[in-house]
Amino acid sequence: MPFEPINPPEFPTPIAPYSAGAKAGNTVYVSGVLALGEGGAVLHVGDAAAQTRHVLEVIKTTLAAAGATMADVAMNHIFLKDLGDYAAFNQVYAEYFPAAKPARYCIKCDLVKPDCLVEIASVAHLA
């Protein structure tokens, strides 16, 4: 099945060869999102809550470009640099998924840039 790359025009150029998302049939895949600005600059250094909010807003925009919403998200893949940020992350995350909660997992790991604290990749299904 062919897929359609999703690259919202307002996003900065990716720092690697990938699309912000891809739509295949009823499924939308959102690439791992970091709190990055133009030129790959890390945003909100040292603030896991602000990075989480930025990441989720990017995911929301990518989904909208594919005709989906946050309510369509079925799975989130979460990567935290420090599990000490877990509570701050969850507080912001809960705002974006107030009703049905998607499946998810959370892994502690190093991220592509040392100042990045949060990365999320999502999978959404359209009705």
Side-chain angles (χ1 to χ4, degrees):
M1 168 188 312
F3 72 92
E4 171 191 352
I6 307 297
N7 289 299
E10 63 271 26
F11 284 3
T13 303
I15 61 171
Y18 65 89
S19 294
K23 184 176 180 182
N26 294 12
T27 306
V28 180
Y29 302 92
V30 179
S31 293
V33 178
L34 299 162
L36 299 178
E38 198 57 55
V42 178
L43 305 173
H44 314 292
V45 173
D47 187 338
Q51 284 194 12
T52 300
R53 187 171 308 285
H54 179 87
V55 164
L56 289 167
E57 285 296 323
V58 169
I59 290 169
K60 185 176 174 181
T61 300
T62 303
L63 291 169
T69 70
M70 296 298 268
D72 297 314
V73 173
M75 178 69 177
N76 283 312
H77 312 274
I78 301 160
F79 307 92
L80 296 179
K81 182 175 181 177
D82 181 347
L83 289 179
D85 292 327
Y86 191 66
F89 166 83
N90 275 322
Q91 184 173 1
V92 174
Y93 181 90
E95 295 173 23
Y96 286 81
F97 300 101
K101 311 291 188 238
R104 72 180 222 188
Y105 62 77
C106 183
I107 296 172
K108 176 193 179 291
C109 64
D110 288 332
L111 299 175
V112 160
K113 295 198 172 217
D115 287 331
C116 288
L117 304 174
V118 176
E119 181 172 357
I120 304 172
S122 299
V123 179
H125 292 276
L126 302 170

